[in-house]
Amino acid sequence: MKQTTIKETAKSAAKSLILFTLVVISIICLMAGLEEDGSDWWFAVLVGSKVISVGAFWASIRLYDRWSKTDKWLMAYDRECKKTDEAPNPMYHAKKEAR
């Protein structure tokens, strides 16, 4: 098994942090509301925050698609998600069948 270097680990951590930051920005901008200050620019501020939200979410999806093919941490995450999809929680299915 090949040892990962500190540089590769730092790159993986930075990529994960960038994706996390983009998703958090998109959620915050999506939930942003307006304060009643009587501004004439309320519509531009409202639409602008939603545009930033959509842009950050789109960027996070594009970057995840690109980086998940080359980054070891993201490949491991994909692999674990696929394992979970193939073998769902047996306790959940047992409860469903008992009804």
Side-chain angles (χ1 to χ4, degrees):
M1 179 187 250
K2 182 184 170 191
Q3 293 286 345
T4 56
T5 64
I6 294 174
K7 187 176 180 180
E8 290 173 349
T9 304
K11 282 183 180 180
S12 292
K15 288 177 182 180
S16 298
L17 185 61
I18 289 169
L19 288 174
F20 177 75
T21 304
L22 284 171
V23 169
V24 167
I25 288 170
S26 67
I27 290 172
I28 289 173
C29 287
L30 184 66
M31 300 289 197
L34 296 174
E35 294 184 17
E36 295 182 25
D37 61 352
S39 173
D40 293 335
W41 293 95
W42 68 269
F43 187 73
V45 171
L46 180 69
V47 172
S49 69
K50 305 316 175 211
V51 168
I52 291 171
S53 174
V54 169
F57 192 66
W58 178 81
S60 66
I61 290 172
R62 295 285 298 193
L63 287 174
Y64 181 80
D65 286 343
R66 171 178 268 172
W67 288 343
S68 66
K69 296 173 186 164
T70 58
D71 188 66
K72 290 185 179 189
W73 286 10
L74 295 175
M75 285 191 296
Y77 177 75
D78 280 341
R79 190 170 43 249
E80 291 300 318
C81 287
K82 286 178 184 174
K83 272 197 234 178
T84 304
D85 286 342
E86 292 170 359
N89 188 351
M91 295 200 52
Y92 177 74
H93 290 290
K95 287 180 183 178
K96 229 177 176 182
E97 291 171 2
R99 289 183 191 178

